[in-house]
Structure formats: structure tokens, C-alpha cells
Amino acid sequence: MKRIIFLFCLFCILFNVSHLQSAETPRRNELLVLCYHDISIDDIHDNYFTVSQKKFMQQLQFLQQHGYVFVSVQEVIASRAGQISLPDRAVLLTFDDAYRSFYTFVYPTLKRLGYPSMLAVVGKWAEQGAPPADLGSTAMMTWKEIAEVSRSGLVEIASH
């Protein structure tokens, strides 16, 4: 099952990367959604859902250099309702599961840059303080930390 999930994620990443590298100008209200899970300190991966801090920062830099504009979930909703138009090269950053790395690294980085994001929390994992054992032993954010990032105005909370 892990292999199927990995292959699906790889397909999605390759599809998105090919779009990023395309010289074609994006159509109006087109949206690129990037989904992350855990962000590790180094390049050693415990599973398929981790990217290093260095690679994450390189990806943000690539998006900046190529004119991508970071948008919030609320902007996407307003766009879909016809209330606003998304900017060209709109990108939505999402983070699944509420791993502690979001609080310790991602949130401070996005806050410094002023980039909005969505954090999809697995309530049971937050209660337990860890994901199921087969997904690794990565720590989860606490409810206090989730509330803090929610109040920032940059992070929208969703149920995963």
C-alpha cells in the first residue's frame, strides 16, 4: 500500500513540476496546489512524505524567482465564487497532518516571508502526540500550537 501511495505522490509531483517548468503562461484563475507533510532537518528520510528544510527553501525560492504568487484558501474560495480573480501563477501551500516541523520551521519561515498556507490537522494524531507507528515517530503539534498559528492570520486550519 505504501508503494501505491508513493507512486501516486510521485506522479502528482512530476505533473506539477512539469507544469512549473513549462514556458506556457498560466491561464487566469489557474491554481497550483503544493502539499507537504513533514519537513526534516536533513536529507535523511524516514518515509516518502518528508522533504528536507534545504529542499523546501529551494522550492520556495524557485517559486519566487518564477513569479508565483502565494494565495490563501479564502482567496481560492472567493475566486471560485466569482468574487475575485486569482493572480497569474497562483500557488497554495498546504501542509498535512500537523507535524511539529510545521510549528518549529515552516510557520516561522512563512511568517517571515508573509506567505499564507493551510494546515490540515489529524485530530486523533494531535491528541496522541504522534502518527501511527507505521508512518514514523515524528512528533505532532499540540492543540495550543495549532491555535497559535491559526490566530496568525496566515495559517488556515482544516480537518484532514
Side-chain angles (χ1 to χ4, degrees):
M1 182 65 171
K2 283 184 180 180
R3 187 155 179 82
I4 292 171
I5 293 171
F6 171 73
L7 292 174
F8 175 74
C9 290
L10 182 62
F11 169 77
C12 291
I13 290 167
L14 291 175
F15 177 79
N16 282 332
V17 169
S18 68
H19 170 77
L20 286 174
Q21 294 174 345
S22 169
E24 177 185 336
T25 302
R27 294 184 300 267
R28 186 54 108 185
N29 281 324
E30 191 171 81
L31 175 68
L32 173 65
V33 178
L34 296 178
C35 178
Y36 294 92
H37 288 82
D38 199 11
I39 309 293
S40 67
I41 292 172
D42 53 36
D43 285 328
I44 299 170
H45 302 294
D46 291 334
N47 59 53
Y48 300 119
F49 302 105
T50 303
V51 72
S52 71
Q53 290 177 359
K54 180 181 176 183
K55 287 180 183 171
F56 177 73
M57 293 304 294
Q58 288 172 338
Q59 291 167 5
L60 289 183
Q61 186 177 26
F62 176 91
L63 293 166
Q64 285 175 317
Q65 291 173 343
H66 289 85
Y68 282 82
V69 179
F70 298 87
V71 297
S72 69
V73 172
Q74 290 305 312
E75 290 173 295
V76 174
I77 291 170
S79 169
R80 298 304 182 241
Q83 298 167 345
I84 66 169
S85 290
L86 289 176
D88 288 344
R89 297 189 183 273
V91 62
L92 174 65
L93 299 174
T94 69
F95 297 85
D96 281 358
D97 309 327
Y99 288 105
R100 184 143 174 81
S101 63
F102 182 86
Y103 184 74
T104 60
F105 177 74
V106 175
Y107 172 61
T109 300
L110 296 181
K111 187 175 174 183
R112 181 174 44 82
L113 296 171
Y115 294 166
S117 66
M118 182 187 75
L119 178 65
V121 178
V122 179
K124 184 175 182 179
W125 296 2
E127 289 292 323
Q128 296 171 343
D134 64 335
L135 291 180
S137 60
T138 302
M140 308 307 291
M141 291 173 64
T142 66
W143 286 116
K144 183 179 177 183
E145 293 165 342
I146 293 167
E148 178 187 333
V149 301
S150 176
R151 287 190 301 270
S152 72
L154 284 176
V155 181
E156 296 176 76
I157 306 298
S159 175
H160 186 5

